[in-house]
Structure formats: structure tokens, C-alpha cells
Amino acid sequence: MIWDPENECMDPEQRRELQLHRLRSTVARLAANVPFYQQRFAEADVSPLDLKSVDDLRYLPFTTKDDLRETYPTGMIAVPLSELVRIHSSSGTTGTPVIAGYTRRDVDIWAETIARTICLGGGTSADILQVAYGYGLFTGGLGLHYGGERVGCTVIPMSAGNTARQVMMMRDLKSTMLACTPSYALTIADEIVDSGMDIEQLHLRNGLFGAEVWSDSSRAAIESTLNIKAHDIYGLTEIIGPGVSAECGCSCGLHICDDHFIPEIIDPETREVLPAGERGELVFTCITKEAFPVIRFRTRDITTLHYEKCECGRTTTRMDRVTGRDDDMLIIRGVNVFPSQIENVLVNIEETLPHYQLVITKEGRLDVLEVQVEVSSEIFADTIRGLEAVEDKIRRELASALSIQCRVKLVEPKSIERSIGKAKRVIDLREE
Ligand code: DLL
């Protein structure tokens, strides 16, 4: 089911006109109400009337996470603070949080974009939606909650954690749809297997998983253990939270709500806009939000955009799955290493499970990267020689993929800490 066929299947030319109209009015409002943008627009010498087509977006200045931190807490809010009905926030890895404010209309638009996400993921008003994203300042829980109610699902606001109880409720209340981070879905899947529950006792059909990078092997493990179709859903606090884009049943990228958020891909070095089909940093401009619209926000997420109509009938722009962020990059002995490169090696090694952690330390002046990865209990019970042979294989594959030597440690199933929210894959113990 398509939640909003009028907007999701709109003629692309007509959508561009709508985007231009909304972009101009957002720019005009920001120029009038937010000193940060007043100054940036003046420096760039642009005014709303200069925008003749959506392509002229490229003349507008970027907004970065640092800009949002520098205007903490409410310097970017474009309405009187009394008009806010909700605050969310993302803490990120360092320092000052980003504060996202929503007016009543923003909360309403958000419920609409999540309603699209839920329908993209195969949901209807008949679904029983178990929300196991965290409730609170994080946008996952409440975001999915209001979207679920908008569609007319029966929403179970479990929040994250208490896994045995999640599984009990899932069975007893016959949940048909699960929404949580992919790493938490794996934790739930483990709990089901460990409890010896027969999967036939569950009624799950679809899952809405996102908020972190996840691999095809995690997807396969989630789909087979929970016996569902897993859909990737994407979003970020700075733009609205979840509800920015989601995969339909065709598994050919994530449909972006581009009548609300205009996407662009830039080269992160030169900051030039790249043509369709090229990989680069994803940038979003909010064109319908009242309280906290950002212009050309640099997400640091790396992906590609596609503009052809999808087989599902929607005409919205699609993005490939996000496989990493450009600030995830680790520098190990001077070599750039992305955790996703390591994950790609591990998923192709039959003996490993989809749980791993990267621990970086210093020995003398040298950076040491240790890749800890779980293997099944059968492998773990093998002879020392057998284990060494697996370690050796992983070490060789990693060395050829990364061009650096790293240590490999095979660990027992469940020894890597399970997350209930976003998984923590990297532990960097080097001194700053
Ligand atoms: O993670 C919002 C969200 C909640 C999305 C629930 C999906 C489901 P933040 O905490 O601000 O917001 O983190 C945003 O998480 O820039 C990406 O790097 C990453 N991310 C989000 N969804 C995906 C995904 C929420 N599907 C940051 N695949 C983003 C890969 C994702 N990375």
C-alpha cells in the first residue's frame, strides 16, 4: 500500500516546482528569523528571489554539525520558542548535543513521513507494530510510535531493552511488525533461539530496521531467524529523525520523502555537487519544517542517488543503503581504514557470526588494531590448530583488503556486548 500516492507518485517535474516553491519560502523565513542564516545568506550574497530552479540550491551555503553545536541550544530555531511542542536531541559521539525542536505542524508532517516509511515496509492499519527503538530524546521510539498510530496500526511502545519481555509480548500480542536497530534485532533473534521458542509461535512479517549501518549478512541472519522481510529505514535528528527514507518491497534503494527534504550528493573534498549515480556525501535541505529547517545539511553519510521511477510506482528519489560515514574513518599507522571494509571481509568468512568489535591500542608508538569476532560454539570448540587456521585466514584477507596487518581474536558466541540501541563497533583506546 502507498500511504500518500498523490505526493509519492507525483510527476517529477511537478515535484520540482513544488520543491522550488517550498525552498524559496523556507529560505525567506530563515533569512527573516535565524541570525545564523541571515549572516550566511548575506556572505553568499543570495536571496530567495535568486532561486530560479531547484538546481540553484547549489548557491546556498552548507550547514554542518559544528554549526548546530555552535548555536546550541536553540539558536537555529526559526519560530518563537513557545510554538515548540516537542524537543528531541542527538548526542553523537562528542560533546554538545544537537537540539531538534518541532512545532505542532512539524510533528504532524513527521507522522506523515513515518506513515510512508511503515507502508513502504509493508505495513497497513491491520499491523501490530512493536516499537523497540528507545523512547526519549532519541527520535526512534516516538517517531515510529506516532507514525504507527497515523497508519492505524496497534502500536506497542516497548522501547529498547528487556529482551525476554520483548519476545514474550511479541508472541502473546501477536506482533506483526518489529521496529528497532538491526543490532537489537539480532539480540532479539538470539533470545528467541536461546529460549528454544518455536518460530511458528510468532506472527512477525516485516521489520523496520535502521539508525546504524548494517550489512547484508546481518540482514540475512535477521530475516532467517525471525522469518520476516527486513526493510532498511533511514533518518537523522537534524533532518527530522526516522522518516527521511525507507526501502519498499523491491529492495532497490530507499525512497526519500523529497517533497519534504531535498537530497544532493557532493564530493566531500571539493564540496561540488555530483551528478546522479555518483557516490558521495549526502546533503539534505528541509523545505516544509517550521521550527528547525536546515539548509544543505552535510550528513557525512556516503551513498548514491537514483531518479528513475521504481517498479512499486513511486517516483520519489531513491538512495542506496548507507554503508558508512566519512567520519567513521580510522587512521591506523597512517592508513585510512573504514569499519565497513572490515565488516565486508568478515561477512565473507563462513565461520564468523555477525558480531564483531574493533579495539585500537598503542604499543610504543605503533597503533595496533585488534579485530575481535564471534564464531559459533562448534568452531570455538575446535582444536587450537583449527582456530588458528581460521584466525590466519581472516588475518590474510584483512591484510589484503586494508593494506595493514591487524590482530585477529576469535571469541565465544555472546562475548561481545550486545546493544539495545546502536551497536558500538569501535573501541579506540589510543590517547588523544
Ligand atoms: O538514528 C534516526 C533513526 C531512528 C533512523 C530510527 C532510523 C531509525 P541519529 O541518532 O541522529 O538519528 O543518527 C543519524 O545514523 O546520519 C547515519 O549515520 C545513521 N543511520 C541512520 N539510519 C541509518 C541506516 C537516527 N538505515 C545517523 N543505515 C545517520 C545506515 C543509518 N546508517
Side-chain angles (χ1 to χ4, degrees), residues 65 90 133 138-140 144 209-214 232-238 241-243 254 299 301 321-323 325 422:
K65 199 147 188 150
S90 92
Y133 284 111
F138 177 56
T139 52
L144 267 295
F209 305 119
E212 62 183 358
V213 169
W214 51 309
D232 193 5
I233 72 169
Y234 169 90
L236 57 167
T237 316
E238 293 84 351
L254 289 79
T299 65
D301 292 322
R321 297 179 67 194
V322 169
T323 49
R325 295 171 55 82
K422 304 191 191 217

Side-chain angles (χ1 to χ4, degrees), residues 34-56:
V34 178
F36 169 87
Y37 280 116
Q38 254 157 22
Q39 195 187 336
R40 286 291 171 92
F41 294 155
E43 281 163 11
D45 197 18
V46 282
S47 80
L49 294 177
D50 297 334
L51 300 167
K52 304 282 186 241
S53 87
V54 178
D55 290 337
D56 292 343

Side-chain angles (χ1 to χ4, degrees), residues 223-265:
E223 289 191 330
S224 66
T225 321
L226 297 180
N227 195 18
I228 56 173
K229 169 121 179 99
H231 299 263
D232 193 5
I233 72 169
Y234 169 90
L236 57 167
T237 316
E238 293 84 351
I239 302 305
I240 202 159
V244 174
S245 67
E247 266 177 335
C248 66
C250 304
S251 304
C252 56
L254 289 79
H255 288 268
I256 299 172
C257 295
D258 57 357
D259 47 336
H260 295 287
F261 320 110
I262 308 179
E264 296 170 278
I265 293 286

Side-chain angles (χ1 to χ4, degrees), residues 45 68 128 147 153 162 176 186 241 285 316 365:
D45 197 18
L68 302 184
I128 299 172
C153 305
N162 212 338
T176 54
L186 285 171
T285 299
T316 40
R365 290 191 177 180

Side-chain angles (χ1 to χ4, degrees), residues 404-423:
I404 53 160
Q405 296 294 330
C406 43
R407 293 186 187 160
V408 173
K409 187 172 169 194
L410 302 184
V411 295
E412 273 184 271
K414 310 249 159 58
S415 52
I416 290 176
E417 198 187 328
R418 297 293 188 260
S419 76
I420 58 169
K422 304 191 191 217

Side-chain angles (χ1 to χ4, degrees), residues 262-297:
I262 308 179
E264 296 170 278
I265 293 286
I266 61 162
D267 176 328
E269 300 291 322
T270 63
R271 306 197 294 176
E272 286 302 317
V273 178
L274 298 177
E278 284 201 29
R279 222 171 124 71
E281 180 181 344
L282 183 59
V283 169
F284 278 113
T285 299
C286 302
I287 50 172
T288 48
K289 275 168 71 191
E290 291 181 332
F292 180 48
V294 283
I295 299 291
R296 305 193 83 199
F297 180 71

